[in-house]
Amino acid sequence: MTASLPDVLDGQHAADLRKAARALLKHPLLLARGRHADEFRLVRRHASELREWFDRNTGWSLQADAETARLRKIPGVLTDPTHPAREASRGAAPFTRRRYVLFCLALAALERGEAQIALGRLADQIVLDAADPRLAAAGVEFALERRDERLDLAAVVRLLLDLGVLRRVAGEEEAYVSGVGDVLYDVERRVLAGLLATRRGPSTVRADNLEDRLAELVAETALDSDELRFRAMRRSLTRRLLDDPVLYYDDLTDAELGYLTRQRGFLTARITELTGLVAEVRAEGIAMVDPDDDLTDLRMPEQGTHGHITLLLAEYLACADEPVTLGALALRVRELAVEHGGFWSKSAREPGMEIELVEQAVARLTALGLVSRTPHTVVARPALARYAVGVTVIREPGSASVPPQRKASQC
């Protein structure tokens, strides 16, 4: 039987809405120009429906105009450090504390600046702002005279270029780092204005410690009724189901667990309807799995030397009955190098590299919710069981990332 035209149109609308939602989850900041222009147009077309869905179910606001679409994502777990900002290049190192401070100082300088700015001028402004006694009291100092400081600033600028805040007009960052040249940028003020993803201005926060400061930045209105408390839990749980590889029941409060137990079918069905993610429910928790293996910033397993080593260590940890020390994992990598080293890169086989290889593997496994770690040990979490020897299904739990963001999407 041939489908009627209204059914065809409804089906196309649902498919386009899903593509638009997935585009926002993967790239919370989309521009009308550049490599994501098609996704931007799709989001703009469905902005009203998307805005209503994300506000109701996650508390995330969506702003879309002729140039940008910005989904202001708030992570479900504010203190999760496993998805740091990075440059766009493959294998780039995560941002350090200094780079994060430089990033914020650069945004402040750009906000006050003109429509064009040179990297040297931006650096001068950052040095002036970094002289603030409060930064010095916090142990933050910048002179930008050393090469490593200029490398940090170049990394910040490349992230701003990737986000679309800056557009390079002339020059290269490498010339600035080497001290032989400068770079000129256009400043995209509309993109710059949309970066901040908080419910209140950072300057209004008065808490002293980091956790309380983060909580103040995204605090909702007073939850003085059951309806508002249930809404806050619904939003928080939906954010975690969308963003986190696995939602473990033992990470929830009693109230959150009770609400999830009662509303699990409703919450997961709403997510599936919009995004196509499918709920995988186990005794220990829930993972929203992506059949297309697209909505994730980390994959497991992954090709290459580091991916192979991570998978082999995952199998080893999955069979462990107790915490495993980092030293024991380093020893295991040396043993694996004897058996598998012929398939690894030359640098991975060099003496002493096992410590770095373990750190990279454990960081990936932690970010995927497969292990937890202390300064000296690693503990397998329930989802890691799928990587045990003899288990044939090794599909990664679906993950939607500000971060980087973030996530953390970087945005």
Side-chain angles (χ1 to χ4, degrees):
M1 180 181 296
T2 303
S4 64
L5 181 58
D7 289 341
V8 171
L9 293 177
D10 287 346
Q12 185 61 51
H13 175 84
D16 287 347
L17 182 63
R18 176 172 295 183
K19 288 180 183 177
R22 290 171 66 91
L24 278 174
L25 290 172
K26 194 172 183 180
H27 301 288
L29 176 59
L30 293 170
L31 307 184
R33 54 175 171 78
R35 64 186 187 276
H36 300 304
D38 291 342
E39 291 91 335
F40 167 82
R41 285 191 289 271
L42 203 57
V43 168
R44 185 84 190 279
R45 191 181 310 148
H46 296 282
S48 179
E49 289 175 88
L50 291 168
R51 185 180 296 113
E52 190 279 331
W53 194 97
F54 282 116
D55 178 67
R56 175 174 174 77
N57 294 283
T58 65
W60 297 338
S61 64
L62 171 63
Q63 292 189 341
D65 56 36
E67 296 181 24
T68 63
R70 177 64 163 126
L71 180 63
R72 287 188 164 88
K73 294 178 65 179
I74 297 170
V77 180
L78 299 177
T79 55
D80 179 8
T82 60
H83 293 80
R86 301 175 187 267
E87 294 180 55
S89 59
R90 180 177 174 84
F95 266 36
T96 59
R97 180 172 182 253
R98 182 163 68 184
R99 288 188 179 184
Y100 278 118
V101 176
L102 273 175
F103 184 80
C104 294
L105 292 175
L107 292 177
L110 292 171
E111 179 66 29
R112 299 190 303 268
E114 303 297 329
Q116 281 193 333
I117 192 168
L119 182 49
R121 171 61 179 163
L122 177 61
D124 292 341
Q125 186 61 60
I126 288 174
V127 170
L128 288 175
D129 291 344
D132 189 311
R134 290 169 294 184
L135 285 177
V140 178
E141 296 181 359
F142 298 110
L144 292 177
E145 296 173 350
R146 304 193 311 270
R147 179 179 173 82
D148 65 309
E149 291 180 317
R150 294 196 297 273
L151 280 170
D152 282 339
L153 180 57
V156 166
V157 166
R158 281 192 283 266
L159 177 57
L160 291 171
L161 286 166
D162 184 60
L163 292 172
V165 175
L166 297 178
R167 280 203 286 178
R168 190 186 295 111
V169 176
E172 294 291 338
E173 288 76 36
E174 289 76 10
Y176 169 79
V177 172
S178 301
V180 297
D182 209 339
V183 196
L184 180 65
Y185 306 102
D186 285 335
V187 181
E188 300 294 335
R189 307 200 67 81
R190 190 180 295 272
V191 182
L192 173 64
L195 279 189
L196 191 63
T198 64
R199 293 195 175 99
R200 58 185 295 182
S203 61
T204 67
V205 173
R206 294 291 178 259
D208 293 326
N209 64 69
L210 175 62
E211 190 168 349
D212 289 342
R213 290 179 66 83
L214 292 175
E216 278 193 34
L217 280 173
V218 299
E220 298 191 58
T221 55
L223 305 178
D224 52 5
S225 70
D226 287 343
E227 181 180 355
L228 291 176
R229 284 189 287 272
F230 289 149
R231 185 190 67 177
M233 279 190 281
R234 181 182 69 246
R235 288 175 167 180
S236 175
L237 291 168
T238 303
R239 291 197 294 265
R240 295 177 70 171
L241 288 168
L242 282 170
D243 262 351
D244 298 346
V246 186
L247 175 61
Y248 288 107
Y249 298 142
D250 59 9
D251 289 338
L252 303 177
T253 65
D254 290 341
E256 289 173 330
L257 181 57
Y259 184 85
L260 180 60
T261 301
R262 296 190 302 272
Q263 300 293 330
R264 182 185 68 198
F266 170 78
L267 294 178
T268 56
R270 293 279 287 173
I271 293 173
T272 299
E273 181 183 14
L274 181 72
T275 67
L277 297 175
V278 179
E280 181 179 304
V281 181
R282 293 287 183 261
E284 300 86 4
I286 304 172
M288 298 302 298
V289 178
D290 182 14
D292 297 330
D293 194 26
D294 179 56
L295 285 182
T296 182
D297 55 354
L298 290 175
R299 285 178 170 79
M300 178 74 182
E302 186 179 55
Q303 294 182 347
T305 298
H306 295 296
H308 188 208
I309 292 171
T310 302
L311 180 60
L312 292 171
L313 290 182
E315 293 177 348
Y316 177 70
L317 287 165
C319 298
D321 296 326
E322 55 187 16
V324 180
T325 66
L326 296 175
L329 290 177
L331 176 61
R332 180 58 180 163
V333 170
R334 289 197 293 271
E335 296 170 347
L336 291 169
V338 175
E339 183 178 354
H340 302 283
F343 302 99
W344 297 357
S345 64
K346 182 179 179 180
S347 61
R349 302 194 300 269
E350 294 178 358
M353 274 297 295
E354 59 273 3
I355 297 175
E356 180 179 339
L357 293 169
V358 166
E359 282 295 329
Q360 292 176 348
V362 170
R364 178 176 291 268
L365 294 172
T366 303
L368 289 170
L370 300 174
V371 303
S372 58
R373 66 171 297 175
T374 67
H376 304 293
T377 63
V378 179
V379 180
R381 302 205 74 179
L384 191 66
R386 64 179 59 202
Y387 295 95
V389 175
V391 175
T392 57
V393 178
I394 55 174
R395 188 175 184 84
E396 172 197 358
S399 175
S401 164
V402 119
Q405 338 271 69
R406 131 214 177 105
K407 111 213 237 227
S409 167
Q410 294 176 0
C411 297

